[in-house]
């Protein structure tokens, strides 16, 4: 069964304190791995897509990396505005519906 | 370029009633997917529409149904509402039904009492 597990469930950081969020996945053929940011009461905002092991993508203070079993979202020198829930999702090559299978997310709080 | 818009933003219904949620996809996108997100959980796939046809369905009962229109906008209908249907309902549009990025609307918060 295709599955995504994110850790930690919640993370508190001081402003400027770098850290990483983990996304472990089990999927029957990875089509793509997606990272989204979600603010309370709003829809997920697309951040990155990764397709193959070794791939990396960056956007401002965020950097996403991918291995064959997990992905990391590295946050460098975070600011309070980075506080949000970060969602990881996978898409399977063997699923004709191309649905996204999401983890439960990591709630990030960055304190000033 | 317009983003994905959903209506209404909030809705309160009584158990047993029926509800229709609406979604306008992003300009140039022909695929719409619907997700249900319970509090503190990740979104769960309900179904996807591609060129007005259902292209896949998650583990949801038949009382969850949908439509896609020629302009690629979409509706989600839920019959015989149950208390557990209370959730944030998200619409996502993408350029094709394959692995392109999906962009989400702001969601409709449905409360069933």
């Amino acid at each position: 069964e295709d599955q995504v597990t994110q850790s930690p469930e919640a993370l508190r950081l001081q402003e400027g304190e770098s850290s990483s969020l983990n996304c472990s996945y089990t999927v029957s053929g990875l089509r793509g791995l997606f990272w989204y940011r979600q603010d309370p009461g709003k829809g997920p905002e697309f951040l990155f897509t990764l397709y193959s092991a070794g791939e990396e993508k960056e956007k401002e203070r965020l950097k996403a990396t991918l291995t064959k079993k997990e992905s990391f979202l590295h946050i460098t020198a975070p600011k309070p505005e980075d506080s949000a829930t970060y969602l990881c999702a996978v898409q399977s090559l063997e699923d004709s519906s191309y649905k996204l299978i999401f983890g439960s997310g990591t709630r990030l709080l960055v304190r000033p | 370029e317009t983003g994905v818009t959903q209506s209404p933003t909030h809705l309160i219904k009584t158990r047993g009633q029926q509800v229709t949620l609406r979604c306008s996809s992003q300009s140039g996108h022909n695929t719409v997917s619907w997700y249900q997100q319970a509090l503190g959980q990740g979104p769960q796939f309900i179904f996807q529409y591609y060129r007005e046809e259902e292209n896949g369905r998650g583990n949801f009962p038949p009382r969850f149904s949908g439509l896609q229109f020629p302009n690629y906008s979409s509706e989600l209908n839920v019959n015989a509402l149950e208390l557990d249907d209370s959730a944030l309902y998200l619409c996502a549009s993408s350029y094709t039904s394959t692995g392109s990025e999906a962009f989400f609307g702001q969601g409709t918060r449905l409360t069933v009492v």
Side-chain angles (χ1 to χ4, degrees):
Chain A
E1 181 184 347
D2 299 336
Q3 194 170 4
V4 176
T5 303
Q6 292 188 246
S7 61
E9 290 185 6
L11 182 62
R12 289 187 176 187
L13 299 174
Q14 285 293 134
E15 184 172 2
E17 179 187 2
S18 301
S19 188
S20 296
L21 281 55
N22 177 263
C23 171
S24 297
Y25 64 90
T26 304
V27 65
S28 48
L30 181 69
R31 175 180 295 276
L33 184 141
F34 303 80
W35 281 99
Y36 287 85
R37 168 193 170 127
Q38 186 173 29
D39 292 305
K42 296 191 176 181
E45 175 189 347
F46 172 76
L47 293 174
F48 303 109
T49 308
L50 301 168
Y51 293 103
S52 57
E55 189 175 358
E56 300 182 351
K57 287 192 177 174
E58 290 188 62
K59 179 181 180 180
E60 297 181 353
R61 295 176 292 282
L62 301 177
K63 179 181 176 180
T65 62
L66 180 65
T67 72
K68 288 186 178 180
K69 294 184 177 181
E70 57 191 353
S71 176
F72 292 93
L73 185 65
H74 307 278
I75 303 177
T76 302
K79 298 182 177 181
E81 53 261 42
D82 295 322
S83 298
T85 295
Y86 290 85
L87 295 166
C88 172
V90 297
Q91 203 174 49
S92 169
L93 279 169
E94 297 184 8
D95 184 349
S96 61
S97 73
Y98 307 107
K99 65 178 177 286
L100 293 172
I101 301 165
F102 282 89
S104 295
T106 293
R107 297 187 308 279
L108 174 65
L109 175 64
V110 182
R111 295 173 291 186
Chain B
E1 180 178 287
T2 58
V4 180
T5 57
Q6 293 185 241
S7 63
T9 54
H10 296 84
L11 201 54
I12 300 175
K13 288 287 190 177
T14 302
R15 189 172 52 181
Q17 285 188 314
Q18 178 266 342
V19 68
T20 297
L21 310 182
R22 295 179 175 82
C23 171
S24 294
S25 59
Q26 185 164 315
S27 177
H29 287 183
N30 59 16
T31 301
V32 173
S33 302
W34 286 90
Y35 291 80
Q36 179 195 66
Q37 186 176 25
L39 205 59
Q41 300 297 315
Q44 298 291 315
F45 177 74
I46 303 175
F47 43 58
Q48 181 185 86
Y49 280 85
Y50 172 62
R51 293 183 175 178
E52 303 178 56
E53 297 287 332
E54 187 178 289
N55 188 46
R57 188 178 184 91
N59 189 26
F60 282 81
R63 59 189 184 84
F64 285 78
S65 63
L67 283 173
Q68 187 180 31
F69 300 100
N71 65 355
Y72 303 127
S73 65
S74 178
E75 288 183 353
L76 165 65
N77 299 290
V78 187
N79 294 321
L81 284 167
E82 301 177 358
L83 297 179
D84 286 347
D85 295 333
S86 296
L88 182 67
Y89 287 86
L90 296 163
C91 167
S93 77
S94 55
Y95 177 64
T96 69
S97 63
T98 58
S100 63
E101 294 85 359
F103 295 89
F104 285 82
Q106 81 280 13
T108 294
R109 171 67 64 187
L110 173 65
T111 302
V112 182
V113 298

